Amino acid sequence: MIKSVLLLFGIRGFLALYSLSVFSVGISHFSLEVYGSMMISVSLFALCARVISFGFDYKIRDLIEDHGVALADVLIIKLILAAAATLFVLVCHLVFVPIEHIGLIVLAFFVYSFDTMPYFQAKDRYEKPAFFVLGSLVIGSVFLWNELNAGGLTRVQFLAACILVPSFGWVLVSLREIFEERLKPDISKCQIIIKEGFEMFTVAQLSGLYANIIPIVVGLQSEVYVAMYSIVLKISNFAKSFGQVLNQVFFYKRNNGGSTLQPLISILGSAIIGAV
């Protein structure tokens, strides 16, 4: 249990620290108005990322145990959903309002499709992704701070640090795992993934869309307000991440009987970090 917490917290915790460092760079280097406009692009990406994640991220353990779903099955569905998100963004760009940095956002959709942490959690393989994922975050942090110190940090580079770098390591992890499994996607299992995942999508993802829609709607009136909203949200998410990590370990750990102590530890941990 302790090993699982440390390994998963090493990934999720370091991702939270990376996100905090990117946030610090953004508000210190750019004006609130510029930072707010970039957060609109990040919110658009996050909105579509919920669709790409779908609901099977929450059902993956059951899908593996009940239907023998492989990583190739999950990945092909996520890539299809990324293509659907791309079509939606292109239609919005051509018909309604031009979207800044649309090429970078579309690229981020497909890179994010390789983020398969729930699959490795369900199989208790926390140690496999650690090297590539943490390595990409370290490289991204070094590049970001070097560009900042050199005074040459651009909006495109900052957006890439926000939406590309966190998922880049997963591309290597997922591709390596697929080559090791040597399995091709199974159409019948892909259909099962969509059917069972949709139920969780309506519960876990659809209900949280407002968090990503708000910055886009507010941005139509004031990009400064978007920046202020994103700052408050970032601080809140940093404290919340600790409790999420513990809950994920408790949930995915095999043969682990539930108890009231586990959620109590998660809630108190988040509350203490938030207070500090």
Side-chain angles (χ1 to χ4, degrees), residues 7 55 77 85 87 89-90 114 121 126 137 146 172 189 204 206 213 221 267 275:
L7 284 171
I77 292 298
L87 180 61
V89 169
L90 288 176
F114 288 86
Q121 284 181 259
Y126 300 97
L137 293 177
N146 282 342
L172 302 176
K189 292 180 180 178
L206 198 60
I213 293 176
Q221 181 180 19
I267 293 171

Side-chain angles (χ1 to χ4, degrees), residues 3 7 124-131 176:
K3 180 182 177 182
L7 284 171
D124 289 331
R125 298 179 183 176
Y126 300 97
E127 68 282 352
K128 276 200 168 188
F131 175 78
R176 186 183 68 170

Side-chain angles (χ1 to χ4, degrees), residues 151-246:
L153 183 63
T154 65
R155 296 177 61 169
V156 173
Q157 291 172 336
F158 179 76
L159 279 175
C162 289
I163 63 180
L164 276 180
V165 172
S167 301
F168 184 77
W170 288 104
V171 176
L172 302 176
V173 173
S174 297
L175 289 177
R176 186 183 68 170
E177 184 70 13
I178 286 176
F179 288 139
E180 289 181 359
E181 286 186 350
R182 296 182 180 178
L183 295 175
K184 296 180 180 180
D186 188 323
I187 300 301
S188 62
K189 292 180 180 178
C190 290
Q191 293 174 343
I192 293 173
I193 290 174
I194 289 292
K195 181 180 178 180
E196 296 196 10
F198 180 74
E199 297 175 358
M200 287 303 298
F201 171 73
T202 58
V203 174
Q205 299 287 20
L206 198 60
S207 60
L209 290 179
Y210 73 93
N212 306 121
I213 293 176
I214 288 175
I216 299 174
V217 174
V218 173
L220 298 175
Q221 181 180 19
S222 172
E223 293 175 341
V224 174
Y225 288 163
V226 176
M228 296 167 63
Y229 171 81
S230 65
I231 290 171
V232 175
L233 188 64
K234 187 66 66 178
I235 296 173
S236 172
N237 286 339
F238 181 71
K240 185 177 66 176
S241 63
F242 178 81
Q244 285 182 323
V245 167
L246 291 184

